[in-house]
């Protein structure tokens, strides 16, 4: 991608935010809770990105997504640290591709802790696949005019109306199926 001098890139100070420095196993073990807890903020960010087609316009909403994730990990650390570490360690060490199937017992212990101490239940199977309508307070973007507004006529003329064809001489190819 070529960037010209007309493109305004954000300053580093605008992009500076606390990051989630966590491992894959840690993120995978908390992923359903992060997805459910930060669902509205994340949907707002994704809507902004797809509507405006420019991630630079959505930096502030992206910071809110990161802050929401950090807040949830702090709550997990304060309330369910031992159970969470056991579950994340099990995912990390039980297989080479981070599968959940060997860690269902530690997952149940972690889910119970999350339910009792943080009142958060693990989302059901298929929760993130369901269609939802996201309500936003942001104004809808104005659609851009297509640069090709004066349409060029199609140079290919339409086909002339044909006369009806007579039936084929030898019947159709599926003659044995018809009686």
């Amino acid at each position: 991608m070529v960037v010209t001098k007309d493109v305004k890139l954000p300053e580093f100070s605008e992009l500076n935010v606390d990051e989630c420095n966590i491992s894959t196993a840690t993120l995978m073990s908390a992923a359903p809770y992060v997805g459910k807890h930060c669902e509205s903020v994340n949907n707002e960010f994704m809507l902004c990105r797809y509507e405006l087609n420019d991630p630079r316009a959505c930096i502030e909403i992206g910071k809110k997504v990161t802050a929401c994730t950090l807040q949830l990990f702090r709550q997990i650390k304060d309330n369910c640290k031992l159970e969470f570490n056991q579950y994340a360690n099990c995912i990390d060490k039980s297989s080479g591709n981070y599968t959940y199937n060997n860690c269902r017992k530690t997952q149940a212990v972690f889910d119970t802790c999350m339910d009792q101490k943080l009142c958060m239940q693990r989302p059901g199977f298929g929760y993130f696949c369901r269609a939802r309508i996201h309500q936003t307070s942001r104004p809808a973007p104005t659609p851009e005019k297509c640069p090709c507004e004066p349409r060029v006529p199609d140079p290919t003329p339409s086909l002339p109306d044909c006369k009806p064809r007579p039936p084929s001489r030898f019947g159709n190819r599926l003659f044995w199926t018809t009686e």
Side-chain angles (χ1 to χ4, degrees), residues 85-97:
N85 285 340
Q86 286 176 344
Y87 181 45
N89 191 31
C90 180
I91 290 175
D92 191 27
K93 306 281 182 180
S94 67
S95 68
N97 59 353

Side-chain angles (χ1 to χ4, degrees), residues 18-174:
D18 290 339
E19 294 183 11
C20 300
N21 295 323
I22 55 177
S23 67
T24 303
T26 306
L27 184 60
M28 285 185 67
S29 53
Y33 295 104
V34 171
K36 191 171 181 182
H37 182 72
C38 302
E39 182 176 15
S40 63
V41 179
N42 191 41
N43 288 347
E44 184 71 28
F45 174 71
M46 295 306 289
L47 181 69
C48 177
R49 275 195 47 216
Y50 285 119
E51 279 185 348
L52 301 178
N53 203 17
D54 185 11
R56 294 172 296 169
C58 307
I59 291 174
E60 293 303 317
I61 303 172
K63 288 180 182 181
K64 290 179 184 177
V65 173
T66 306
C68 179
T69 305
L70 283 172
Q71 177 207 10
L72 179 67
F73 276 110
R74 287 184 186 118
Q75 288 177 350
I76 291 173
K77 182 180 176 182
D78 292 341
N79 295 297
C80 299
K81 182 178 181 179
L82 179 64
E83 295 86 351
F84 179 71
N85 285 340
Q86 286 176 344
Y87 181 45
N89 191 31
C90 180
I91 290 175
D92 191 27
K93 306 281 182 180
S94 67
S95 68
N97 59 353
Y98 302 112
T99 56
Y100 295 105
N101 57 353
N102 298 326
C103 303
R104 296 297 180 192
K105 291 181 182 177
T106 54
Q107 176 186 339
V109 172
F110 174 59
D111 290 345
T112 304
C113 179
M114 290 293 286
D115 189 22
Q116 290 175 351
K117 294 185 179 175
L118 292 176
C119 299
M120 294 180 78
Q121 292 183 345
R122 184 181 202 87
F125 184 74
Y127 175 81
F128 298 108
C129 296
R130 290 186 217 139
R132 293 175 185 80
I133 297 175
H134 178 72
Q135 298 294 332
T136 182
S137 60
R138 281 187 317 105
T142 56
E144 294 181 11
K145 288 273 191 183
C146 181
C148 56
E149 272 307 311
R151 294 245 176 222
V152 178
D154 190 11
T156 310
S158 62
L159 295 174
D161 293 336
C162 295
K163 295 182 269 179
R165 292 184 178 188
S168 60
R169 288 184 2 202
F170 302 108
N172 65 10
R173 350 179 220 191
L174 304 174

